[in-house]
Structures are given as structure tokens and as C-alpha cells.
Amino acid sequence: MSYYPYPQNPYQRPPESTGLSVASLVLGILSMLGFAIIILVPLAGVITGHLGYRREPNSRALSLAGLITSWIALVLAALLYAFLIWVIFWVPENFYEYSDYVYEDLNYS
């Protein structure tokens, strides 16, 4: 009596997609290159990074790299916006306040 081994399954599972993780990494790199001024680019990188980290366990390194770069760019963009708001609203007010003293000290007569 001879036993034959079971045949191998000719159908294999399709490879897991890494689309969200790659998108997160690309958006993170773009946001570090200067597109963080448009606040939606790093925000989209953070969202796709979190989705990719949860849904795609085989490509967690890509999504983690995208998350880190997107969060850094998001924080830098927020600091840049806060600095610009400070410059626009606070500096001109104080500039005119101190410039009066400079003009009073000058006597050309």
C-alpha cells in the first residue's frame, strides 16, 4: 500500500498591499522637503501612516518612517505658523512704539 502526499495548493494568497505605508512615507518626505507649509500634506501623511501601521503589519517600518517624518513636519509647520502670527500681530505694534523715541532724540537744528 503506497501513500501519496497531498498535492500542494497551486493557489497562493496574493501579496499584502503596502499602499498606505508607501503613501505615508512619500507624504512624510514631501512634507519634510517644504510642502509642510500646506498643512494638509503632513496631516494626510499622519492619517495614512496610522492606517498603514494598523492594517499592514508586514510594512510597519515604512508606515513608522512616514509617521515620524509627518509628525515632525506637522510640528515644524505649526511652529512656523505661530511665529508668523506673532510677527504679523506683535512686532509692528512694538516697532512703532520704539521708533518714536529714536526720532525725538534727533535734533538737526
Side-chain angles (χ1 to χ4, degrees):
M1 188 185 247
S2 66
Y3 292 102
Y4 294 104
Y6 289 110
Q8 295 290 329
N9 186 5
Y11 303 106
Q12 296 178 355
R13 284 179 77 180
E16 185 177 317
S17 74
T18 59
L20 289 172
S21 300
V22 171
S24 171
L25 184 61
V26 168
L27 289 170
I29 291 171
L30 283 177
S31 61
M32 291 298 283
L33 289 177
F35 289 97
I37 294 172
I38 307 167
I39 204 82
L40 295 176
V41 175
L43 191 61
V46 167
I47 291 171
T48 56
H50 281 291
L51 288 175
Y53 194 78
R54 176 169 280 196
R55 292 182 185 174
E56 301 168 353
N58 289 340
S59 60
R60 284 198 172 170
L62 289 176
S63 60
L64 187 62
L67 272 171
I68 290 170
T69 54
S70 295
W71 273 114
I72 289 172
L74 193 62
V75 167
L76 289 177
L79 289 174
L80 177 70
Y81 281 131
F83 178 72
L84 287 177
I85 289 171
W86 176 75
V87 165
I88 289 170
F89 289 113
W90 189 78
V91 171
E93 179 180 301
N94 290 334
F95 177 73
Y96 293 122
E97 184 178 310
Y98 294 121
S99 65
D100 293 337
Y101 297 119
V102 173
Y103 292 122
E104 288 176 1
D105 292 337
L106 296 175
N107 285 328
Y108 292 112
S109 55

